[in-house]
Amino acid sequence: MELKFIELISDAGGFADVWKARDELGRELAVKIIRAASIGISDALQHAKALARVKHPNVVTIHTVEKVTDPRGSGLVDAVVMEFLPGETLGARLQGAPLPMDELVSIGRGIIRGLRHIHGEGMVHGDLHEQNAMISHGEVKIIDLLHRYTLATTNEEKREDAVRRELRTLKGLLQQLIGHSEVSPQLSYAFTEEVRGDVSLDGLAAAFENAVSANPPSRLRLEHSRTPLNFLDIITPGMHREHVRMLLGPPSAVQGDRWLFRYQETQIEICYTESEGVESVVVALCAGKKYHGSHPTAHTDRPLGELTLADLLEGGYNQVEDVEYFEGLRTREVSVRSRWGPPGAWTYYAAGALDVFSGVGHLAPVEFEWDPVEGRLVTEPSKVMINWMALMSTYSENVPGFNWFIKS
């Protein structure tokens, strides 16, 4: 094959460079040049050859695997020659306007069909996310199946584990699609409820069809899992979003730069920075529940549900601020902010009692009285129950906001 390299498309990965090229027939192609120092290069080439033998409209087409002349001057190198896909990634599309129903159905079904085909051929993708799906000529195609850590697995036990992990990732991707579409919040929430826990590919496909159906069937409500006891020890400010995904699986809901995880006792909200690091972690207590897990401070070991404002104000720990008060159209709140630990290695935290005027949702209720004239808390701090606590990346002037409308 004679190739004329046109431009470098990507060299961001440590595994390969991707070039746009044209062959002797005038076809525009994408050529992935696998770096000689890459781990698993022989497996990658075998994987590519397997994919080249099977075709599917929702999976990028691999034409051939052969030696080509490296445009960077390294001589003959191994390369995977694929179809060139003009268009945008699904990740870029999800930054735009909400998906109309027909586009949502086309993308969702296409990803499910493509992944079903990959699994049916005895392979896994292993790195499925919104940046590894392209929308080209109105069709979605799964791309980048040659990531060095996501190659086809020959060991059956390992492959089954990889498939389970991939289905959890697919679940999160479908949640993103539905959440950024014209689907009603009720149906979006119903989809999340229907696919809790480990779900088969057929189960995910059925739940997706229910969510996009004009007349969805009634659904059984599945139980939430328990909140991990060491949540605030493990998920901390600065942790990268993909590491959070690896530890916790897909979130229950995605709202812009925030991920929500719904558990039996709590709803946990993780907010990310532009660089995809954890900015804050908020643990909100559900009504009638207690959370006996880790605290953001060493002040006390009382569970959330028994923890009071007095517990945070007493004990002589580092730099607890005065009680702050906020009142909005639907909520009012008393809170404290502080930090603890050795100088230069502070842990920043906040906690508070949030009272919702309307009483809707399932946030644990609190009661307190505030004197607006004197600007002070009238209720004894020992009688003000804390119903949320948070870790923060910086000592912000404001306590973290969170979605207090916790659904059942």
Side-chain angles (χ1 to χ4, degrees):
M1 175 178 285
E2 296 180 6
L3 294 174
K4 179 180 180 181
F5 291 93
I6 301 171
E7 62 177 320
L8 181 65
I9 299 174
S10 171
D11 63 351
F15 177 62
D17 297 333
V18 181
W19 290 78
K20 180 179 179 181
R22 186 175 290 110
D23 67 4
E24 65 272 21
L25 300 178
R27 297 182 300 177
E28 289 188 338
L29 302 167
V31 180
K32 175 170 279 193
I33 295 177
I34 301 176
R35 295 174 183 154
S38 295
I39 299 172
I41 183 171
S42 61
D43 289 338
L45 294 174
Q46 290 302 315
H47 190 191
K49 291 174 182 177
L51 288 168
R53 291 192 293 268
V54 295
K55 310 291 183 183
H56 192 275
N58 297 115
V59 180
V60 62
T61 298
I62 295 179
H63 296 301
T64 185
V65 178
E66 61 180 68
K67 298 280 188 180
V68 302
T69 301
D70 188 351
R72 288 186 165 176
S74 298
L76 289 177
V77 291
D78 292 299
V80 180
V81 182
M82 302 171 285
E83 66 175 320
F84 175 73
L85 297 173
E88 63 178 350
T89 66
L90 179 56
R93 177 63 186 88
L94 291 175
Q95 297 300 313
L99 300 170
M101 191 62 71
D102 57 348
E103 188 177 5
L104 168 66
V105 170
S106 174
I107 293 173
R109 288 176 178 171
I111 291 174
I112 291 170
R113 286 195 298 261
L115 199 62
R116 188 189 300 279
H117 178 74
I118 293 170
H119 290 184
E121 295 298 325
M123 296 177 284
V124 292
H125 185 288
D127 195 32
L128 183 68
H129 53 73
E130 63 273 18
Q131 300 303 329
N132 278 344
M134 284 288 298
I135 301 173
S136 182
H137 302 299
E139 191 77 69
V140 66
K141 294 211 176 196
I142 298 172
I143 63 171
D144 201 19
L145 283 80
L146 301 177
H147 189 278
R148 66 178 179 181
Y149 298 117
T150 61
L151 307 178
T153 308
T154 54
N155 180 286
E156 185 64 23
E157 182 178 350
K158 290 182 178 179
R159 181 184 174 277
E160 288 179 359
D161 182 62
V163 169
R164 280 194 295 270
R165 285 187 278 110
E166 187 147 279
L167 292 179
R168 295 188 196 115
T169 304
L170 175 61
K171 183 196 308 184
L173 186 55
L174 293 176
Q175 286 174 320
Q176 282 184 272
L177 288 171
I178 293 171
H180 192 74
S181 74
E182 296 177 349
V183 170
S184 70
Q186 293 82 3
L187 287 180
S188 178
Y189 178 69
F191 174 83
T192 299
E193 289 291 287
E194 190 170 350
V195 298
R196 288 196 179 278
D198 286 334
V199 184
S200 68
L201 184 55
D202 286 340
L204 286 172
F208 179 77
E209 292 301 321
N210 289 341
V212 300
S213 170
N215 298 296
S218 60
R219 298 171 174 84
L220 293 174
R221 175 162 293 168
L222 304 180
E223 289 295 322
H224 303 293
S225 60
R226 300 291 298 275
T227 313
L229 292 177
N230 60 343
F231 199 99
L232 292 179
D233 294 330
I234 303 301
I235 309 300
T236 56
M239 179 179 288
H240 194 272
R241 182 170 63 180
E242 291 309 311
H243 193 189
V244 175
R245 189 199 299 270
M246 181 187 71
L247 291 172
L248 301 180
S252 304
V254 177
Q255 298 176 344
D257 59 358
R258 297 171 184 267
W259 283 5
L260 276 66
F261 292 86
R262 179 67 161 88
Y263 296 103
Q264 288 184 22
E265 313 92 340
T266 66
Q267 177 168 284
I268 294 179
E269 183 165 323
I270 301 175
C271 182
Y272 296 97
T273 63
E274 290 184 358
S275 59
E276 299 187 350
V278 173
E279 184 173 44
S280 62
V281 184
V282 181
V283 180
L285 183 68
C286 297
K289 303 293 184 179
K290 292 181 182 180
Y291 174 53
H292 293 265
S294 54
H295 283 247
T297 79
H299 283 64
T300 176
D301 59 1
R302 294 189 69 182
L304 195 60
E306 294 180 6
L307 186 68
T308 70
L309 184 59
D311 295 320
L312 300 179
L313 296 175
E314 297 169 357
Y317 279 82
N318 297 325
Q319 300 187 21
V320 175
E321 296 285 346
D322 292 334
V323 177
E324 300 172 325
Y325 178 76
F326 170 81
E327 183 171 329
L329 294 176
R330 302 186 68 180
T331 64
R332 63 188 189 120
E333 179 178 42
V334 289
S335 62
V336 293
R337 293 176 296 123
S338 188
R339 62 185 183 180
W340 75 281
W346 298 110
T347 294
Y348 302 102
Y349 73 90
L354 180 68
D355 178 32
V356 183
F357 296 151
S358 62
V360 297
H362 291 266
L363 179 69
V366 296
E367 294 182 359
F368 61 85
E369 184 179 350
W370 180 267
D371 187 333
V373 177
E374 297 187 8
R376 67 179 183 87
L377 181 67
V378 177
T379 307
E380 286 291 327
S382 61
K383 297 181 180 179
V384 180
M385 188 185 78
I386 298 297
N387 62 357
W388 68 267
M389 56 187 180
L391 285 175
M392 305 174 293
S393 60
T394 59
Y395 198 52
S396 172
E397 294 182 359
N398 301 310
V399 298
F402 64 95
N403 189 334
W404 49 262
F405 185 75
I406 301 176
K407 299 177 181 179
S408 60

